[in-house]
């Protein structure tokens, strides 16, 4: 009695205990679901010790969280009428009074800087004392703001378009907590909607806290959509193939328990739900159904052959168990390669996927035979699909192609390889934080609005370390910073920067009675008396806090980026670094570029390097599996070609259709490779069995293997194709691309395994058709009693 026969005997003899064990584990994992929580921070794709993370953390230590700004924008000329102008300022005042808000900056908060000659200091005066009552008063405020206060240009208004902007700074200690979500959904959005209705004005909202909150909510909504969509589509296709409610019900039961386990493991490991881990439950459905296809198909074939239920169930486990275990291990290893990547986001995804893939295999192997053991034998109508004419025609066509048109198959393969290589050279990399976001939703349109009006919403920070206390306020340093500011202004992709130099220029303007033409850095002669006023001003010190640390050693320059990819960002970084190297000698200064958007872009580049590593590792791991199972170097070579080819085609399609490499699409290759190798293992396992049965004659063995495995491979590939296609229901660009690309890759992998693999076996006939090359495998994939049978 071999290992799998013993396993089958134990499972079927102890079926009540096995079901009780599954029920207990499912119950325990269901209790862990309460620990699932959604991520309230951006995905950090870089390892903790990466230089970009170290620079960003240093910036946060000095100036605190930088992603706490929510911005409101209004582009409507009627806002400059007394009723609406006052209503707008009252709305902002209402936000300012909330406990979640640190402070707000709007027209109502504007303070004019004035020089007090008596006290030799700068004082702040409000832009206006009382709420304006007439249109003329509002226009006077607008004129002062637009013409005499350049400090606030691009900060609170756009002079060209007349757009107003209001900044709401959320308290830093709640920015990465559920309180942020509560504020956005329960306070901010309802208040703004009420204002819009009452005043007939369209308000635009943006800023990283707002975007992150709406994005997280979208992910949450889509998990249910994916799970229901994947269940519905796979169940429908399953029923179409098997025409059995019983088989469909059993399959759905297995995958629903698998989904419960998937959510339970997320809670058990205390992982946050991110855009990647949200894909795990539907992924388990899509991968779990093919397991059911192989097991149920084998059960029905056995019933048709001899009609003995006990024997059929025992053979389902003993004969399909090992091949299915191998295919699930290869799939899991495709995902497990992410465990070796230093990025926490990908590591968590790899751990969850591989644990759940093995779990769904165990569930299918235990539940399907046990439930069938309680049921009567399948009726003849349930077995009719095994003789369905159209599926036989498909397999016959494949056999004819392999037999008579091998040259055409190789010719098509070469053309596809050339096209794939051309496409690969067209692939671009995207490190955009918002590219994947749903473009049809209002918050994405609002992002584009702020990009057009104010230059972007994603902060890019430049940290200037003068290496000595009070080094920032030296005129030489300020001039260097201004030079850098002027360089930033030359980039259309970046907004007008704001830093301490803006405040110093405003101080000079205030010293010269508010004349806008003096909005510039002081000369060395002016410096001493203007800075003397600054030192005496407590108000100035408060305004300085945002731009300079308390020691006067560190300064920040803040600009906002448009939604640009890594290529443009690399060009911008290089130009900025050239100016920095020229203006800030490393002996006296240390200047670093940082900010969430930049860390994300660097994370994308880091991921691409790791993709090559993880995919190479997956190929090596699977090659080792092949070596271990088949003990033949030539077989490793033959088995890998049909699986690497679809990956090349997919990469080519990404190039031709301008689908960039980004964190979401980067997974396509490892997922597709891990799954497509399953077909190869099933085919080669059957092929080896047929070789022995046919006394090492290759041709009859290849055709017999094609006939036997072709139907199951066709079924599973169609289920996988439509299963992954459910991801295209997403509103996230990356998830749509992931679903579409994996679907296409798996369909190509099926064609490759059913046409190219048999063709290669036939072409290498003389080199592989002997026992020396095809040694006894270390693991019997097909049980011995079936191997020794010759064909009747």
């Amino acid at each position: 009695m071999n290992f799998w026969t013993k396993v089958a005997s134990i499972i079927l003899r102890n079926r009540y205990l096995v079901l009780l064990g599954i029920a207990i584990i499912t119950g325990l994992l269901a209790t862990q679901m309460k620990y699932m929580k959604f991520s309230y921070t951006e995905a950090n794709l870089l390892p903790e010790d990466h230089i970009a993370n170290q620079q960003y953390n240093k910036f946060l230590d000095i100036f605190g969280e930088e992603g706490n700004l929510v911005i409101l924008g209004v582009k409507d000329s009627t806002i400059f009428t007394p009723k609406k102008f006052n209503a707008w300022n009252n709305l902002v005042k209402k936000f300012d009074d909330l406990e979640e808000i640190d402070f707000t900056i709007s027209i109502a908060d504007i303070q004019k800087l004035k020089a007090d000659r008596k006290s030799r200091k700068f004082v702040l005066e409000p832009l206006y004392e009382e709420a304006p009552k007439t249109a003329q008063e509002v226009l006077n405020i607008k004129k002062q703001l637009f013409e005499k206060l350049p400090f606030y240009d691009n900060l609170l208004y756009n002079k060209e378009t007349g757009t107003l902007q209001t900044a709401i700074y959320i308290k830093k200690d709640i920015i990465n907590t559920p309180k942020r979500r509560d504020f956005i959904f329960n306070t901010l959005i309802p208040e703004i909607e009420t204002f819009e209705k009452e005043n007939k004005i369209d308000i635009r909202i943006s800023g990283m806290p707002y975007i992150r909150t709406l994005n997280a909510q979208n992910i949450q909504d889509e998990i249910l959509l994916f799970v229901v969509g994947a269940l519905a589509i796979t169940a429908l296709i399953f029923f179409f193939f098997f025409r059995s409610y019983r088989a469909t019900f059993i399959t759905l039961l297995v995958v629903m328990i698998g989904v419960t386990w998937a959510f339970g493991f997320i809670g058990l490991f205390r992982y946050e739900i991110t855009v990647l881990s949200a894909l795990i439950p539907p992924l388990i459905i899509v991968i779990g159904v093919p397991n059911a296809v192989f097991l149920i198909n084998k059960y029905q074939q056995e019933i048709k052959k001899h009609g003995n239920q006990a024997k059929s169930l025992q053979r389902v486990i003993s004969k399909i168990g090992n091949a299915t275990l191998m295919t699930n291990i290869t799939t899991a290893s495709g995902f497990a390669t992410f465990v070796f990547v230093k990025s926490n986001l990908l590591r968590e995804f790899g751990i969850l996927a591989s644990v759940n893939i093995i779990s769904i295999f165990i569930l299918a192997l235990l539940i399907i035979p046990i439930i069938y053991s309680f049921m009567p034998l399948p009726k003849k109508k349930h077995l009719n699909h095994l003789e369905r004419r159209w599926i036989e025609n498909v397999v016959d066509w494949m056999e004819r192609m392999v037999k008579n048109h091998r040259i055409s198959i190789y010719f098509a393969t070469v053309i596809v390889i050339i096209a794939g290589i051309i496409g690969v050279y067209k692939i671009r990399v995207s490190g955009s934080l918002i590219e994947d976001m749903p473009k049809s939703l209002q918050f994405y349109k609002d992002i584009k609005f702020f990009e057009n009006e104010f230059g972007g919403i994603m902060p890019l920070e430049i940290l200037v370390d003068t290496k000595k206390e009070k080094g920032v306020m030296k005129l030489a340093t300020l001039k260097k910073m201004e030079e850098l500011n002027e360089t930033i202004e030359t980039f259309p992709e970046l907004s007008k920067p704001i830093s301490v130099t803006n405040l110093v220029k405003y101080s000079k303007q205030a010293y010269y009675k508010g004349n806008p033409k003096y909005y510039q850095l002081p000369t060395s002669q002016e410096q001493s008396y203007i800075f003397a006023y600054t030192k005496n001003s407590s108000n100035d010190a408060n305004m300085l806090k945002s731009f300079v640390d308390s020691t006067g050693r560190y300064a920040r320059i803040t600009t906002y980026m448009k939604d640009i990819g890594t290529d443009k960002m690399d060009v911008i970084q290089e130009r900025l670094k050239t100016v920095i190297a020229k203006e800030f000698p490393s002996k006296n200064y240390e200047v670093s570029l940082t900010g969430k958007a930049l860390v994300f872009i660097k994370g994308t580049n880091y991921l691409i390097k790791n993709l090559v590593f993880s995919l190479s590792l997956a190929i090596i791991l699977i090659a080792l599996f092949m070596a271990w199972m088949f003990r033949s170097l030539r077989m490793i070579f033959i088995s890998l070609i049909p699986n690497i080819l679809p990956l090349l085609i997919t990469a080519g399609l990404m190039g031709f259709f301008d689908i960039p490499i980004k964190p979401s699409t980067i997974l396509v290759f490892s997922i597709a490779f891990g799954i497509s190798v399953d077909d190869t293992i099933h085919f080669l396992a059957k092929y080896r069995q047929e070789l022995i049965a046919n006394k090492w004659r290759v041709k009859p063995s290849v055709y017999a293997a094609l006939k036997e495995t072709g139907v199951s491979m066709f079924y599973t590939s169609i289920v996988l194709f439509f299963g992954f296609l459910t991801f295209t229901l997403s509103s996230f660009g990356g998830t749509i691309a992931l679903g579409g690309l994996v679907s296409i890759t798996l369909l190509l992998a099926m064609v490759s395994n059913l046409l190219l693999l048999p063709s290669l076996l036939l072409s290498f006939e003389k080199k592989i058709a002997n026992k020396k090359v095809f040694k006894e495998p270390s693991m019997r994939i097909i049980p011995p009693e079936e191997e020794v049978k010759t064909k009747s």
Side-chain angles (χ1 to χ4, degrees), residues 1-6 314-315 318-319 322 685 688-690 692-693 776-777 779-790:
M1 191 186 276
N2 83 336
F3 171 74
W4 283 99
T5 312
K6 283 179 194 165
Q314 186 261 340
R315 284 195 165 186
S318 63
K319 294 186 177 179
N322 210 18
R688 192 187 181 285
Q689 172 204 332
E690 293 294 338
I692 295 167
E776 187 68 14
M779 174 172 268
R780 291 188 182 279
I781 298 171
I782 305 288
E785 69 265 26
E786 201 166 291
E787 284 192 349
V788 294
K789 269 196 313 187
T790 52

Side-chain angles (χ1 to χ4, degrees), residues 253-451:
L253 180 69
V254 170
V255 293
M256 281 162 85
I257 293 170
V259 167
T260 307
W261 283 30
F263 282 125
F265 281 125
I266 293 172
L268 181 68
F269 297 150
R270 303 295 189 268
Y271 290 161
E272 290 183 331
I273 292 180
T274 62
V275 73
L276 287 187
S277 55
L279 300 178
I280 296 286
L283 200 64
I284 295 313
I285 295 168
V286 170
I287 290 169
V289 170
N291 286 336
V293 169
F294 277 106
L295 292 164
I296 292 171
N297 214 26
K298 182 65 182 171
Y299 173 65
Q300 293 185 347
Q301 281 173 351
E302 290 292 329
I303 289 289
K304 191 181 176 192
K305 208 181 284 179
H306 50 72
N308 184 323
Q309 189 180 44
K311 190 178 177 183
S312 299
L313 291 169
Q314 186 261 340
R315 284 195 165 186
V316 165
I317 299 167
S318 63
K319 294 186 177 179
I320 296 295
N322 210 18
T324 318
L325 173 66
M326 285 295 100
T327 58
N328 279 276
I329 285 175
T330 53
T331 304
S333 64
F335 288 96
T337 53
F338 292 123
V339 175
F340 301 101
V341 175
K342 285 184 179 175
S343 162
N344 279 341
L345 182 81
L346 277 181
R347 192 185 294 130
E348 287 177 9
F349 178 74
I351 291 167
L352 281 172
S354 38
V355 166
N356 280 297
I357 286 164
I358 299 302
S359 300
I360 195 78
F361 158 72
I362 294 166
L363 285 170
L365 193 70
L366 296 176
I367 292 171
I368 290 171
I370 287 174
I371 289 185
Y372 269 118
S373 73
F374 290 108
M375 289 182 166
L377 284 174
K379 294 177 183 152
K380 190 178 182 300
K381 66 175 181 179
H382 296 143
L383 307 178
N384 286 344
H385 73 94
L386 297 170
E387 295 171 351
R388 207 165 288 149
R389 192 70 224 141
W390 69 270
I391 191 77
E392 282 179 24
N393 289 339
V394 171
V395 176
D396 289 345
W397 174 80
M398 287 175 180
E399 195 178 320
R400 280 198 306 277
M401 288 298 292
V402 171
K403 197 178 279 185
N404 306 320
H405 303 286
R406 277 206 300 281
I407 300 298
S408 303
I409 290 169
Y410 294 143
F411 185 68
T413 303
V414 170
I415 288 171
V416 160
I417 288 170
I418 293 165
I421 291 167
I422 293 166
V424 166
Y425 280 100
K426 291 174 179 282
I427 287 184
R428 67 182 174 90
V429 176
S430 163
S432 162
L433 257 173
I434 62 171
E435 185 174 36
D436 278 350
M437 291 178 187
K439 292 179 175 53
S440 58
L441 296 187
Q442 187 58 44
F443 82 92
Y444 184 84
K445 292 171 185 167
D446 287 352
I447 290 169
K448 290 296 171 191
F449 169 82
F450 284 103
E451 279 189 359

Side-chain angles (χ1 to χ4, degrees), residues 479-548:
K479 282 181 175 172
K480 290 175 187 297
M481 286 175 69
E482 186 61 8
E483 193 67 40
L484 190 51
N485 284 346
E486 284 168 10
T487 305
I488 291 169
E489 285 191 44
T490 63
F491 291 106
E493 298 86 2
L494 301 178
S495 74
K496 203 169 163 185
I498 182 154
S499 68
V500 66
T501 61
N502 298 64
L503 195 54
V504 172
K505 290 193 283 186
Y506 192 19
S507 300
K508 179 174 173 177
Q509 182 191 348
Y511 186 82
Y512 286 105
K513 298 180 180 175
N515 189 336
K517 76 172 187 181
Y518 289 104
Y519 183 73
Q520 55 190 232
L521 285 179
T523 61
S524 47
Q525 288 88 357
E526 294 166 326
Q527 176 195 1
S528 55
Y529 44 86
I530 289 175
F531 281 10
Y533 271 61
T534 307
K535 279 175 193 166
N536 297 331
S537 311
S538 59
N539 293 322
D540 239 26
N542 287 335
M543 288 176 86
L544 263 178
K545 260 193 234 167
S546 304
F547 310 117
V548 183

Side-chain angles (χ1 to χ4, degrees), residues 5-6 10 52 133 143-145 147 188 190 225 233 300 328 441 453 539 556 562 574 653 677 689 771:
T5 312
K6 283 179 194 165
I10 292 164
K133 294 182 177 65
K143 192 176 179 185
Q144 272 197 78
L145 180 65
E147 293 177 14
L188 182 77
L225 174 76
I233 197 96
Q300 293 185 347
N328 279 276
L441 296 187
E453 295 293 330
N539 293 322
R556 74 193 280 190
K562 285 186 179 175
E574 283 313 306
L653 287 171
V677 159
Q689 172 204 332
K771 292 180 191 176

